[in-house]
Amino acid sequence: MSEETPGFDEKPEVPADGTPDEPKAADSADKAEGAAPAGGSAEAVGQETALLAQLDQARMALGERTGDLQRLQAEYQNYRRRVERDRITVKEIAVASLLTELLPTLDDIGRAREHGELVGGFKSVAESLETVAAKMGLQQFGKEGEPFDPTIHEALMHSYAPDVTETTCVAILQPGYRIGERTIRPARVAVAEPQPGTAPKSESAEADTPSDKDTDAPDKG
């Protein structure tokens, strides 16, 4: 049994460098806390870079979708214009087909008017039919004395006349009809041309021809 030496308390063992364990642990904690902000800053930069990349991708996607929308809108507008143009064309064809079938009746009405036979109830019906045709866009053309135009006139008779200076419509055998700018029947006419070899003198030729007064005047000196 060992004897204890009185008057001396046991002291904890001290490391060789004389530094207690607890302060050493506190210093390590301080160093860890000091290093934490550097790591957090790098992480924030990485997150910002990722967000910027996502923003660029979103902008690119938005530009592509905007372009697709603009192309789709342009195609839709073109489609609407084509449909409207086709609708008008179909309507004009249908109206022209109907009025073409009525042209012989309108010709009969015109002949009856010329012979004074358009009287009574027949006159009222005929005028009503002509009014309806006019409302549908039918226009009559062709007059005596106008120059012959092969695009709107059809010559059924031909002659020569001394009083015309160009090919002229001298009689309207059947009037022509059009709807807007579209001719559905040319005017059937009789035409007259100038007599061969009697071309009209031009103003310059008349100016160059000496007058009788100048011819009869005596020569001077």
Side-chain angles (χ1 to χ4, degrees), residues 13 25 27-28 32 49 59 68 81 92 101 104 113 118 123 130 135 157 180 183 186 198 205 213 215 218-219:
E13 294 182 359
D27 292 341
S28 299
T49 303
R59 287 175 177 172
D68 293 340
R81 282 192 286 267
E92 289 179 350
E101 296 296 328
R113 181 179 287 112
L118 199 62
K123 178 179 179 182
E130 290 175 336
K135 286 182 178 180
M157 298 178 64
T183 300
T198 58
K213 182 178 179 180
T215 303
D219 294 337

Side-chain angles (χ1 to χ4, degrees), residues 141-149 152-153 159 161 163-173 187-194:
F141 66 90
K143 295 181 180 180
E144 294 183 4
E146 64 185 6
F148 175 75
D149 184 352
I152 60 173
H153 297 135
S159 62
D163 57 342
V164 297
T165 58
E166 59 181 341
T167 305
T168 306
C169 300
V170 294
I172 306 299
L173 306 179
R188 293 165 179 170
V189 301
V191 299
E193 293 183 354

Side-chain angles (χ1 to χ4, degrees), residues 197-213:
T198 58
K201 295 181 180 181
S202 62
E203 294 181 358
S204 59
E206 292 179 356
D208 294 338
T209 302
S211 62
D212 296 339
K213 182 178 179 180

Side-chain angles (χ1 to χ4, degrees), residues 104-176:
T105 304
L106 295 176
D107 291 336
D108 292 339
I109 292 173
R111 283 190 290 267
R113 181 179 287 112
E114 290 176 359
H115 292 84
E117 299 175 356
L118 199 62
V119 295
F122 178 57
K123 178 179 179 182
S124 177
V125 173
E127 291 177 350
S128 298
L129 180 60
E130 290 175 336
T131 301
V132 171
K135 286 182 178 180
M136 297 178 69
L138 186 66
Q139 300 175 356
Q140 186 182 98
F141 66 90
K143 295 181 180 180
E144 294 183 4
E146 64 185 6
F148 175 75
D149 184 352
T151 61
I152 60 173
H153 297 135
E154 180 182 355
L156 300 183
M157 298 178 64
H158 177 271
S159 62
Y160 293 97
D163 57 342
V164 297
T165 58
E166 59 181 341
T167 305
T168 306
C169 300
V170 294
I172 306 299
L173 306 179
Q174 282 184 332

